[in-house]
């Protein structure tokens, strides 16, 4: 194992002082999600021993949240391993026997993930009628043709026309509508049904993209997101198994739970010395790990020479040479002004503001018996009165109209009789503010209305996510909003201070997390790879210095 120990009589920046046996760089990782755990695991395996992970919540995993329900595991967060060939999450799962009980039906190859590729999606209208399967397939072929065209703008450098407003939603809606309206073989009623289905498809697409609306997703950048070849896999015992695997070699004292960070004081100036020098409130803490690096009450704050102090909400100050920030884009959007001192550079702030993140929530409903037919794998909600709408946004009391579908969880031998509903955007936040009883009753009314079956009972249990209102997450995952690009992902990932802007110690603040991965944003493998990337960045610098 390569050691990264340093050598110098000075206690200043370890990068400028060479290697010595008694001085390891102090590294603080903020966040114990996939990115933070992956970074920590790489650092520890490569000889960095002075690593501390600060996790704001009371559990590790970040946006992975597996909940036991009898013999089954329900995923409130990450659900699928997207792709196999070269996907590090897939290889972790496969090599550790996590996919042994994944059924053939759970190896979905389709672009839109369902819990099973078997069976048929039932498209139901708000008047309780099922849309014929052949009409659904006909529309689906048309929609998928246009979807493929949305990929070409980035992949082939195709110019975006002004009429599309560089929006996936506007482009898709306009082109699909034109093709529907010029079809000479369709009756007016069939055309209206297809136009209504278009709106439903765009709601599903919004849930997939975790955008409030596909109108907000950049057309010119949409094709840069890269799909890893292979199927989408469900881990029957829960995605938390991946989290546990990443954490198993990390000493327990390394990870500090319930430890939210207030501010990262980096790149000290005279002003910051003064601020911290006034910190008579700073208290000594022993609980964040056995290394006891907290700032003690009467100690001169800069005596240890670290260029960074991490100020925690509990008033503890932790010195560091490097901090890897893995907080979500949603948290950065809300807190970046207070979270960094000095403030982030203007171009990094602009990247945070331009990139998009929204909320996609799940609503699990468990029933005593199935009211759906055995071949039904999902119930898709098609509102016929939305055929001509331009904006799919609803007032707070109509939040339920943004629920696009309920998927059937397969196999029933594992899950029982369980449906999983999908909702995104501002309407998901409205749902989060409702109590369980209201959401269960509202969903039951919807199911009765769309299936035309007034006898559907209320579910015996409801379980739902609340990613938007979680103060340590603030959204589900990122997307390239109109006006943003992959360069913003790279700008977000760029360490501070910028290499050409200062003689201060380099690589003080590093950034990881799914939103920092240009090709795999929004995915678990993007998060994992980003954590490995930042750990490797530090490894290479220290090993170069040793050489």
């Amino acid at each position: 194992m390569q050691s990264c120990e340093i050598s110098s009589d000075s206690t200043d920046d370890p990068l400028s002082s060479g290697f010595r046996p008694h001085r390891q760089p102090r590294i603080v990782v903020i966040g114990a999600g996939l990115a933070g755990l992956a970074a920590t695991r790489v650092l520890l395996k490569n000889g960095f021993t002075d690593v501390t992970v600060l996790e704001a919540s009371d559990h590790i995993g970040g946006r992975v949240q597996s909940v036991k329900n009898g013999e089954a595991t329900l995923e409130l967060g990450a659900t699928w391993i997207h792709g196999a060939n070269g996907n590090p999450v897939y290889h972790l799962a496969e090599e550790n026997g996590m996919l042994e009980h994944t059924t053939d039906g759970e190896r979905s190859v389709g672009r839109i993930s369902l819990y099973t590729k078997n069976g048929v999606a039932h498209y139901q209208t708000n008047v309780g009628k099922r849309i014929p399967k052949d009409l659904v397939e006909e529309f689906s072929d048309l929609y998928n043709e246009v979807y493929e065209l949305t990929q070409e703008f980035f992949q082939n450098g195709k110019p975006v026309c002004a009429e599309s407003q560089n929006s996936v939603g506007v482009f898709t809606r306009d082109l699909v509508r034109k093709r529907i309206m010029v079809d000479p073989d369709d009756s007016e009623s069939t055309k209206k049904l297809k136009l209504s289905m278009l709106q439903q498809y765009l709601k599903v697409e919004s849930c997939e993209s975790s955008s409030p609306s596909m109108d907000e997703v950049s057309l010119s950048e949409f094709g840069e997101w890269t799909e890893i070849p292979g199927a989408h896999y469900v881990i029957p015992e829960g995605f938390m198994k991946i989290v546990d695997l990443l954490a198993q070699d990390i000493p327990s004292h390394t990870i500090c739970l319930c430890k939210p960070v207030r501010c990262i004081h980096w790149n000290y100036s005279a002003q910051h010395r003064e601020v911290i020098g006034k910190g008579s409130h700073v208290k000594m803490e022993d609980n964040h790990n056995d290394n006891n690096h907290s700032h003690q009450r009467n100690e001169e704050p800069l005596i240890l020479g670290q260029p960074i102090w991490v100020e925690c909400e509990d008033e503890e100050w932790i010195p560091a040479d490097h901090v890897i920030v893995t907080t979500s884009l949603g948290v950065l959007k809300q807190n970046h002004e207070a979270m960094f001192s000095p403030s982030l550079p203007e171009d990094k702030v602009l990247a945070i503001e331009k990139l998009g993140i929204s909320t996609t929530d799940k609503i699990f409903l468990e029933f005593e018996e199935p009211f759906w037919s055995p071949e039904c794998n999902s119930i898709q909600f098609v509102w016929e009165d939305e055929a001509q709408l331009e904006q799919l946004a609803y007032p707070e009391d109509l939040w339920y109209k943004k629920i696009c579908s309920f998927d059937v969880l397969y196999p029933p031998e594992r899950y029982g009789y369980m449906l999983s509903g999908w909702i995104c955007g501002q309407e998901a936040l409205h749902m989060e503010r409702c109590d369980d009883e209201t959401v269960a009753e509202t969903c039951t009314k919807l199911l009765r209305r769309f299936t035309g079956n007034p006898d559907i009972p209320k579910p015996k249990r409801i379980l739902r996510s609340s990613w938007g209102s979680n103060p340590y997450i603030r959204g589900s995952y990122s997307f390239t909003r109109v006006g943003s690009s992959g360069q913003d992902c790279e700008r977000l990932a760029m360490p501070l201070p910028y290499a050409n802007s200062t003689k201060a110690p380099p690589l003080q603040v590093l950034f990881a997390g799914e939103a920092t991965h240009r090709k795999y944003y929004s995915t678990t493998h993007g998060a994992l790879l980003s954590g490995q990337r930042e750990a490797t960045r530090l490894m290479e610098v220290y090993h170069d210095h040793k050489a």
Side-chain angles (χ1 to χ4, degrees):
M1 182 179 293
Q2 179 76 44
S3 171
C4 56
E5 294 174 347
I6 58 178
S7 59
S8 172
D9 293 331
S10 168
T11 55
D12 292 336
D13 167 44
L15 291 184
S16 63
S17 43
F19 286 78
R20 70 173 179 147
H22 302 298
R23 176 69 166 88
Q24 280 254 345
R26 291 176 173 171
I27 303 171
V28 172
V29 178
I30 298 177
L34 291 177
L37 294 175
T40 303
R41 191 172 187 240
V42 170
L43 291 169
L44 294 175
K45 281 192 171 184
N46 285 274
F48 292 81
T49 59
D50 200 343
V51 183
T52 299
V53 182
L54 305 180
E55 169 55 47
S57 73
D58 61 2
H59 60 275
I60 64 174
R63 284 167 273 181
V64 177
Q65 190 177 0
S66 305
V67 178
K68 291 294 289 183
N69 183 60
E71 296 300 310
T73 301
L74 302 179
E75 304 288 9
L76 291 176
T79 303
W80 288 277
I81 300 173
H82 292 292
N85 303 342
N87 184 334
V89 179
Y90 169 81
H91 293 301
L92 278 174
E94 177 67 20
E95 290 163 9
N96 289 275
M98 297 180 194
L99 302 178
E100 289 178 1
H101 300 292
T102 304
T103 66
D104 182 60
E106 289 172 303
R107 296 180 181 90
S108 168
V109 184
R111 185 174 58 80
I112 294 177
S113 305
L114 291 168
Y115 287 92
T116 176
K117 66 184 180 184
N118 300 328
V120 178
H122 285 207
Y123 285 80
Q124 304 282 154
T125 72
N126 55 301
V127 294
K129 300 290 179 64
R130 182 181 171 190
I131 300 174
K133 183 182 175 184
D134 57 346
L135 196 155
V136 172
E137 290 175 349
E138 192 176 300
F139 173 78
S140 184
D141 289 343
L142 167 60
Y143 181 88
N144 288 333
E145 282 178 24
V146 175
Y147 176 86
E148 291 303 319
L149 294 177
T150 65
Q151 306 293 292
E152 292 182 0
F153 293 95
F154 179 85
Q155 293 172 0
N156 300 338
K158 188 176 173 182
V160 174
C161 61
E163 292 81 6
S164 72
Q165 302 170 46
N166 196 23
S167 159
V168 172
V170 172
F171 173 84
T172 303
R173 192 183 300 110
D174 287 353
L175 186 52
V176 173
R177 279 177 173 171
K178 285 175 184 175
R179 293 193 180 184
I180 288 172
M181 296 313 293
V182 299
D183 190 331
D185 298 326
D186 283 348
S187 64
E188 288 304 310
S189 61
T190 297
K191 287 178 180 178
K192 183 183 176 184
L193 266 183
K194 288 184 176 179
L195 291 171
S196 301
M197 288 179 66
L198 168 61
Q199 303 286 43
Q200 194 275 341
Y201 269 57
L202 288 172
K203 289 179 188 177
V204 172
E205 203 78 67
S206 293
C207 285
E208 290 254 313
S209 296
S210 196
S211 60
S213 162
M214 291 308 292
D215 290 12
E216 295 194 25
V217 179
S218 173
L219 181 60
S220 60
E221 306 300 317
F222 195 46
E224 183 166 20
W225 187 89
T226 305
E227 187 166 5
I228 292 180
H232 307 284
Y233 292 81
V234 172
I235 302 175
E237 293 185 339
F239 222 102
M240 272 302 293
K241 293 295 182 182
I242 295 289
V243 174
D244 294 339
L245 185 65
L246 291 175
Q248 72 179 11
D249 295 327
I250 300 174
S252 59
H253 66 74
T254 299
I255 301 176
C256 315
L257 300 178
C258 302
K259 197 77 172 173
V261 168
R262 178 181 293 149
C263 184
I264 300 164
H265 300 271
W266 63 286
N267 209 23
Y268 279 120
S269 65
Q271 177 186 355
H272 300 117
R273 288 189 181 94
E274 181 182 349
V275 169
I276 295 181
K278 292 177 180 176
S280 59
H281 63 283
V282 174
K283 65 181 180 179
M284 183 175 73
E285 295 284 354
D286 297 319
N287 61 352
H288 82 271
N289 69 14
D290 293 345
N291 297 325
N292 194 19
H293 297 146
S294 61
H295 174 52
Q296 300 181 25
R297 181 179 297 274
N298 296 317
E299 183 182 345
E300 169 59 38
L302 295 182
I303 200 166
L304 295 178
Q306 270 80 14
I308 308 164
W309 284 75
V310 179
E311 179 187 358
C312 300
E313 292 282 358
D314 63 3
E315 310 299 347
E316 182 182 6
W317 293 63
I318 302 172
D321 295 298
H322 311 282
V323 174
I324 301 178
V325 178
T326 73
T327 49
S328 74
L329 177 62
V331 170
L332 289 175
K333 280 180 178 289
Q334 180 150 321
N335 296 343
H336 73 82
E337 288 183 356
M339 192 174 175
F340 296 92
S341 178
S343 300
L344 295 175
E346 189 176 331
D347 57 347
K348 191 178 283 285
V349 171
L350 196 59
I352 290 170
E353 292 174 346
K354 285 162 64 176
L355 289 168
I357 186 169
S358 185
T359 300
T360 294
D361 277 326
K362 299 176 190 173
I363 306 169
F364 290 101
L365 303 177
E366 184 178 12
F367 294 87
E368 291 285 0
E369 297 291 336
F371 59 82
W372 54 91
S373 56
E375 87 286 351
C376 174
N377 66 24
S378 64
I379 301 167
Q380 310 285 332
F381 295 157
V382 179
W383 294 86
E384 290 192 61
D385 56 352
E386 293 184 351
Q388 299 300 331
L389 286 183
E390 295 299 326
Q391 290 287 338
L392 294 175
Y394 306 97
E396 185 165 356
D397 61 331
L398 297 179
W399 61 265
Y400 56 85
K401 296 194 77 172
K402 196 66 171 286
I403 298 176
C404 58
S405 63
F406 275 92
D407 296 341
V408 179
L409 270 65
Y410 273 76
E413 294 78 18
R414 182 191 305 150
Y415 294 106
Y417 304 115
M418 185 83 68
L419 299 179
S420 173
W422 297 89
I423 186 171
C424 64
Q426 193 64 34
E427 294 79 7
L429 294 176
H430 297 329
M431 181 276 295
E432 290 180 14
R433 288 195 282 269
C434 297
D435 58 33
D436 281 354
E437 179 68 21
T438 300
V439 175
E441 187 173 327
T442 302
C443 291
T444 304
K445 288 178 179 177
L446 270 179
L447 289 165
R448 288 171 181 168
R449 178 176 185 174
F450 278 83
T451 61
N453 179 0
D455 299 321
I456 293 175
K458 283 182 66 173
K460 68 177 186 178
R461 187 185 181 202
I462 178 172
L463 182 67
R464 58 204 170 108
S465 60
S466 54
W467 296 112
S469 53
N470 183 325
Y472 305 132
I473 304 291
R474 298 291 181 195
S476 297
Y477 42 86
S478 64
F479 66 97
T480 45
R481 191 160 57 185
V482 174
S484 69
S485 72
Q487 290 181 338
D488 292 308
C489 296
E490 293 194 344
R491 181 63 69 185
L492 180 57
M494 192 172 293
L496 297 175
Y498 294 154
N500 59 354
S501 64
T502 178
K503 292 183 179 179
L507 301 182
Q508 292 179 41
V509 186
L510 302 92
F511 295 84
E514 53 84 15
T516 71
H517 201 292
R518 183 165 184 162
K519 292 185 177 181
Y520 298 145
Y521 59 86
S522 80
T523 66
T524 54
H525 53 274
L528 188 148
L529 287 167
S530 73
Q532 294 176 341
R533 177 194 68 213
E534 297 311 305
T536 301
R537 200 191 297 268
L538 286 176
M539 283 167 45
E540 289 174 347
V541 169
Y542 279 94
H543 294 166
D544 285 348
H545 271 68
K546 187 174 182 181

